[in-house]
């Protein structure tokens, strides 16, 4: 008997059935994806996360009718690196984006290399229309523009923050773009970003789309809809702006962003797309000292929980059951998740540090056990399950986040075995990522 003649047809049949199963596991029709990224919004900075002074009914609606994450983390405690991780599905260190790309100085010349695989490139290759509305902050030079990273449409700014009315950045340079062209548009930045997002939805209602809504709010400068512009070339101005009642304006900035979320959801309903669209709402890092990080220790710029534990919400009408999740999620998990849901083909030998969340979102299946890491300036963190190790110039802090989420009790001396385990994990991770000195930004 010729075994090969029997095995070959069986192999073909097996491969065929496997391909069919993979195809059946994809969603049909392909879903739309909207990722809404707030800027410097802390863990406690929404009504549904405990801020009773704020009115955020639209975002609260997404949380109450979707999944509200209680352990969602930005990949970094500052802007640029988290955005690099979101775009690439990897630790930001792999692309050299460990720190902020500043508006002044040498880092203004650097950016996210266009050779990087991005979520927009992958989804575009799968037939998606791709758009980013709002903040980029991954390179000031035109060679790093979003259109070179897989986005078909870009309306917004490339800096870390701009005047909400005049659209000048913190170096006094005008910063408002349509793709590669600097354009003039009158209006409040939050409203402009929302309007372009709504237009993108309506213009692409017949095909699957990926829409990245990268809001400026509630990042400084403090400016409401009716406050005057104050940044102009050749004029001295402060970073935070001239507003005196900063709390009132800060709250307004968050609430206007919430209105924008409502307009985006209205656009989905008007176009009949709400039941075929995954909406994710997250923040790029924790709040500054004037924001609301809940009861968490620390704030933007440091690796205590307040610097990187942020609001995280997943909403999909009819597909995601309302509830709460305590799974530890990272910004870099978004790319693998959208890729799996889209059915896009993954380039050969391509792997991501992030993990696919789709089974957890749809069925509540627990994520596989993993260790996670952060590094920013003089701080390093290793996290495994409930244990967190934070190294800094000042201290070696070991905490059990399940029992001590506020990081008040240092167990480094009491748990030497766990301390060593996390130190070893951190050391191995740093060897893989490379030293700080090799980063483009620090």
């Amino acid at each position: 008997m010729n075994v090969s003649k029997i095995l070959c047809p069986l192999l073909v049949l097996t491969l065929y059935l496997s391909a069919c199963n993979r195809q059946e596991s994809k969603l049909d029709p392909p879903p739309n994806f909207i990722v809404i990224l707030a800027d410097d919004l802390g863990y406690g900075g929404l009504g549904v996360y405990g801020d009773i002074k704020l009115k955020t009914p639209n975002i609260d609606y997404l949380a109450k009718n979707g999944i509200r994450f209680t352990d969602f983390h930005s990949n970094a405690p500052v802007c640029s690196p988290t955005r690099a991780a979101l775009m690439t599905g990897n630790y930001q260190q792999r692309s050299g984006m460990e720190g902020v790309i500043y508006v002044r100085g040498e880092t203004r010349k650097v950016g996210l290399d266009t050779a990087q695989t991005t979520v927009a490139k992958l989804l575009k290759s799968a037939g998606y229309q791709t758009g980013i509305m709002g903040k980029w902050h991954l390179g000031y030079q035109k060679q790093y523009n979003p259109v070179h990273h897989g986005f078909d449409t870009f309306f917004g700014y490339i800096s870390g923050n701009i005047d909400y009315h005049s659209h000048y950045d913190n170096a006094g340079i005008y910063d408002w773009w349509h793709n590669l062209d600097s354009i003039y548009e009158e209006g409040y930045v939050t409203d402009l970003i929302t309007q372009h997002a709504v237009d993108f939805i309506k213009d692409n209602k017949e095909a699957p789309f990926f829409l990245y809504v990268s809001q400026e709010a509630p990042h400084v400068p403090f400016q409401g809809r009716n406050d005057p512009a104050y940044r102009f070339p050749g004029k001295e101005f402060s970073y935070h702006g001239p507003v005196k009642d900063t709390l009132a304006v800060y709250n307004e900035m968050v609430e206007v962003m919430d209105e924008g979320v409502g307009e985006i959801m209205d656009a989905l309903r008007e176009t009949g797309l709400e039941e075929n669209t995954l909406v994710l709402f997250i923040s790029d890092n924790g709040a500054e000292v004037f924001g609301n990080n809940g009861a968490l220790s620390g704030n933007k710029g440091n690796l205590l929980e307040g610097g990187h534990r942020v609001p995280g919400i997943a909403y999909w009408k009819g597909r995601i059951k309302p509830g709460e999740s305590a799974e530890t999620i990272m910004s870099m998990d978004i790319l693998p998740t959208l890729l799996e849901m889209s059915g896009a083909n993954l380039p050969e030998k391509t792997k991501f540090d992030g993990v696919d969340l789709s089974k957890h979102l749809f069925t509540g299946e627990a994520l596989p056990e993993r260790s996670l890491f952060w590094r920013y300036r003089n701080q390093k963190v290793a996290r495994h399950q409930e244990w967190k190790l934070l190294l800094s110039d000042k201290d070696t802090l070991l905490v059990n986040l399940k029992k001590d989420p506020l990081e008040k009790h240092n167990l480094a001396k009491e748990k030497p075995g766990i301390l060593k385990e996390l130190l070893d994990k951190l050391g191995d991770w740093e060897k893989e990522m490379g030293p700080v000195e090799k980063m483009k930004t620090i």
Side-chain angles (χ1 to χ4, degrees):
M1 179 183 294
N2 190 332
V3 177
S4 63
K5 288 185 178 180
I6 297 174
L7 290 179
C8 286
L10 286 174
L11 178 60
V12 171
L13 178 61
T14 301
L15 292 173
Y16 172 75
L17 292 174
S18 176
C20 289
N21 289 335
R22 287 199 303 270
Q23 185 63 32
E24 288 174 359
S25 72
K26 308 305 179 186
L27 299 171
D28 188 25
N32 306 304
F33 304 120
I34 299 178
V35 176
I36 304 173
L37 184 69
D39 198 343
D40 291 4
L41 182 70
Y43 182 77
L46 296 169
V48 75
Y49 277 88
D51 195 326
I52 61 175
K53 297 179 181 178
L54 279 171
K55 296 178 180 179
T56 53
N58 297 296
I59 301 172
D60 294 353
Y61 175 87
L62 299 182
K64 292 173 182 177
N65 293 277
I67 296 176
R68 185 181 81 101
F69 294 100
T70 59
D71 201 20
F72 193 105
H73 296 261
S74 59
N75 264 66
V78 288
C79 303
S80 299
T82 290
R83 294 161 195 273
L86 175 61
M87 285 293 101
T88 64
N90 287 318
Y91 284 109
Q92 57 274 19
Q93 285 80 10
R94 293 196 188 276
S95 57
M97 298 284 103
E98 180 154 322
V100 174
I101 302 176
Y102 289 101
V103 71
R104 297 182 180 89
E106 288 299 309
T107 60
R108 191 177 178 95
K109 300 176 183 178
V110 305
L112 183 66
D113 196 313
T114 53
Q116 290 286 321
T117 299
T118 66
V119 61
K121 286 180 181 178
L122 291 169
L123 292 177
K124 186 174 181 178
S125 71
Y128 276 68
Q129 291 296 306
T130 56
I132 170 175
M133 312 302 157
K135 175 175 174 175
W136 177 235
H137 210 190
L138 287 174
Y140 292 88
Q141 308 305 315
K142 282 191 175 182
Q143 70 194 78
Y144 302 119
N145 188 281
V147 300
H148 297 311
H149 284 284
F151 287 100
D152 297 308
T153 307
F154 168 46
F155 280 98
Y157 61 102
I158 55 178
S159 181
N161 65 89
I162 59 175
D163 185 301
Y164 280 76
H165 293 284
S166 73
H167 309 160
Y168 281 84
D169 69 18
N170 198 42
I173 299 171
Y174 185 75
D175 189 2
W176 193 254
W177 300 80
H178 174 217
N179 294 349
L180 293 168
D181 298 319
S182 177
I183 62 169
Y184 175 79
E185 273 195 307
E186 187 174 334
Y188 187 61
V189 164
T190 309
D191 292 330
L192 288 175
I193 293 170
T194 296
Q195 186 56 58
H196 285 301
V198 168
D199 291 343
F200 183 86
I201 292 169
K202 294 180 178 179
D203 291 344
N204 294 284
K205 62 183 178 181
E206 302 299 333
F209 62 77
F210 165 57
L211 174 58
Y212 176 31
V213 185
S214 184
Q215 285 286 5
E216 180 171 21
H219 196 294
V220 296
F222 293 109
Q223 284 177 297
R225 276 185 175 137
N226 298 317
D227 291 318
Y230 79 102
R231 289 183 184 174
F232 295 100
K235 178 183 177 181
E236 291 188 8
F237 50 81
S238 66
Y239 178 66
H240 291 93
V243 171
K244 294 182 179 180
D245 191 350
T246 55
L247 178 60
V249 175
Y250 176 88
N251 288 349
E252 180 190 349
M253 291 160 68
V254 175
E255 290 173 359
V256 171
M257 177 176 62
D258 180 78
E259 288 178 24
V261 172
E263 291 179 35
I264 288 170
M265 295 307 300
D266 286 343
L268 289 178
R269 293 165 186 138
E270 290 169 11
T271 53
L273 298 176
E274 184 179 14
E275 294 182 0
N276 195 43
T277 302
L278 171 67
V279 180
L280 298 174
F281 181 93
I282 57 177
S283 179
D284 66 341
N285 48 251
E288 292 196 59
V289 292
F290 47 78
N292 187 347
N293 290 315
L296 299 176
S297 301
N299 46 58
K300 176 182 178 179
N302 65 57
L303 291 180
L304 290 166
E305 289 294 284
H308 54 88
R309 188 185 295 203
V310 295
I313 298 166
Y315 171 86
W316 188 344
K317 184 179 180 180
R319 294 302 301 263
I320 291 178
K321 293 181 179 179
E324 188 172 281
S325 169
E327 289 284 351
T328 307
I329 310 295
M330 297 280 282
S331 310
M332 64 185 180
D333 296 332
I334 290 176
L335 183 153
T337 303
L338 303 192
L339 189 66
E340 174 63 25
M341 290 184 185
S342 72
N345 293 320
L346 184 65
E348 190 177 355
K349 296 183 179 180
T350 302
K351 295 181 179 180
F352 300 106
D353 296 317
V355 300
D356 169 28
L357 306 173
S358 57
K359 290 183 180 178
H360 178 65
L361 296 179
F362 293 146
T363 67
E365 181 177 310
L367 296 181
E369 186 176 302
R370 59 176 172 166
S371 299
L372 296 167
F373 306 93
W374 289 259
R375 187 175 71 185
Y376 180 63
R377 294 188 172 174
N378 64 334
Q379 310 157 82
K380 304 172 186 179
V381 163
R383 167 88 184 266
H384 189 79
Q385 296 179 317
E386 72 269 29
W387 291 100
K388 175 181 178 179
L389 169 67
L390 170 58
L391 301 180
S392 69
D393 293 341
K394 298 178 180 179
D395 203 1
T396 296
L397 177 67
L398 178 68
V399 295
N400 185 318
L401 290 173
K402 188 174 182 179
K403 297 179 179 179
D404 180 24
L406 306 187
E407 303 171 281
K408 301 296 185 183
H409 306 290
N410 191 351
L411 302 175
K413 293 181 179 180
E414 297 177 33
K415 302 288 183 179
I418 294 174
L419 175 63
K420 183 181 184 306
E421 181 182 348
L422 290 178
L423 283 170
D424 290 344
K425 287 178 180 292
L426 181 60
D428 291 342
W429 178 79
E430 286 203 279
K431 288 178 183 177
E432 184 179 354
M433 294 300 121
V436 173
E437 292 75 15
K438 289 190 176 181
M439 299 293 112
K440 296 179 182 178
T441 58
I442 57 175

